[in-house]
Amino acid sequence: MTSFISRAQRSPSTAIKRGLRGRCPCCGQAPVFAGYLKVVERCARCQERLGHIRADDFPPYLTILLVGHIVVPLLLITEQHYVLPLWTQMAIWPTVTLALTLLLLRPIKGGVLGLMWALKLRGDERH
Ligand SMILES: [Zn+2]
């Protein structure tokens, strides 16, 4: 079965948006993940091959970068305006960090997968 769009029509922004929503970067209809982070081998709708794309460490890198830029300012703002006991802060900030990381990692991996698909990257290219 052929793809809905030709390889020349791959739009990075559309593919990233579809990936961020956890959808196939090619058709935007079927889920791109079979589990939390496991990418399906082929799209269930358009049969586009996706399982061979290796995003490796880029999604975790982007997630850490984003979560750090959210949590650290929140922590500093809270520190300036409130006097919280240390045990409270030790309960809040690791929990917020873990929750944001788990919340953002999947859509970010989908977005990276969409970008890689649009650019025809597999993740095993030699530099
Ligand atoms: Zn598809």
Side-chain angles (χ1 to χ4, degrees):
M1 186 175 205
T2 58
S3 300
F4 288 137
I5 62 173
S6 71
R7 292 189 180 271
Q9 295 173 314
R10 295 180 182 205
S11 162
S13 62
T14 301
I16 290 171
K17 286 178 200 165
R18 289 173 175 170
L20 287 171
R21 289 182 299 145
R23 297 292 164 190
C24 169
C26 182
C27 66
Q29 300 297 314
V32 75
F33 294 111
Y36 177 61
L37 292 175
K38 172 80 174 141
V39 178
V40 295
E41 196 56 39
R42 287 186 176 272
C43 173
R45 183 145 192 268
C46 68
Q47 299 299 314
E48 179 72 16
R49 285 190 63 226
L50 299 169
H52 68 291
I53 300 173
R54 299 282 174 241
D56 289 338
D57 295 340
F58 195 45
Y61 170 79
L62 289 177
T63 304
I64 291 167
L65 185 73
L66 190 60
V67 169
H69 281 82
I70 293 170
V71 172
V72 171
L74 283 175
L75 190 151
L76 294 175
I77 291 168
T78 303
E79 189 72 23
Q80 284 182 338
H81 293 87
Y82 304 100
V83 179
L84 295 176
L86 184 60
W87 71 266
T88 307
Q89 294 200 40
M90 291 299 289
I92 292 173
W93 299 119
T95 304
V96 169
T97 301
L98 181 63
L100 278 175
T101 300
L102 293 174
L103 192 72
L104 293 173
L105 183 58
R106 192 173 196 227
I108 287 174
K109 182 171 181 177
V112 168
L113 189 81
L115 176 63
M116 292 180 73
W117 175 84
L119 298 176
K120 301 176 191 172
L121 297 173
R122 294 186 327 228
D124 61 352
E125 293 81 9
R126 294 188 178 260
H127 302 286

